[in-house]
Amino acid sequence: MPASTEAALVALLNEHPSLGNAKARELLGLDEAAYESLKAEMLAKGLIALGRGRGGSLKLAEQPPKANAHTKADKTKSQKPKAEEPKPKGRKPKATTEEPIEKQLWKTADKLRKN
């Protein structure tokens, strides 16, 4: 396929995050065989990826992040360890008694109702 057709498809995908096969074929003005050939070639090169959709769709392939001199591992080594966050202060649960839970619940309900 000509490079201009590939460039046109990439330009379309830059405009539309995901583009259906039928619409892409229509915008490029290609017949089905030529479009499928172009799609297969660009998939093999890793320029595009298959998207979701009933009739199938295309999207630009994710580009791997560029490698920097400082990798993530280097960054984690240079960072100070985070101090543990203090636990929220609240009521501490009372020690359990010998009373059954139902009786404890009724007593608590009576306290809330101020009985």
Side-chain angles (χ1 to χ4, degrees), residues 23-100:
K23 187 69 173 176
R25 190 171 59 239
E26 176 188 322
L27 292 172
L28 291 171
L30 297 174
D31 63 352
E32 191 168 348
Y35 175 75
E36 290 298 325
S37 172
L38 172 68
K39 183 173 90 170
E41 184 179 321
M42 292 183 73
L43 279 169
K45 289 181 181 179
L47 297 173
I48 61 172
L50 296 177
R52 295 181 178 175
R54 283 185 301 155
S57 63
L58 301 175
K59 61 183 179 178
L60 286 175
E62 299 281 327
Q63 298 297 323
K66 295 181 180 178
N68 292 334
H70 302 287
T71 63
K72 188 175 183 177
D74 293 338
K75 289 180 185 178
T76 56
K77 288 180 184 177
S78 64
Q79 292 177 349
K80 293 180 183 177
K82 294 182 180 180
E84 289 185 26
E85 294 182 19
K87 294 182 180 178
K89 294 181 180 177
R91 289 187 178 177
K92 293 182 181 178
K94 292 183 180 179
T96 58
T97 63
E98 299 296 321
E99 296 178 336

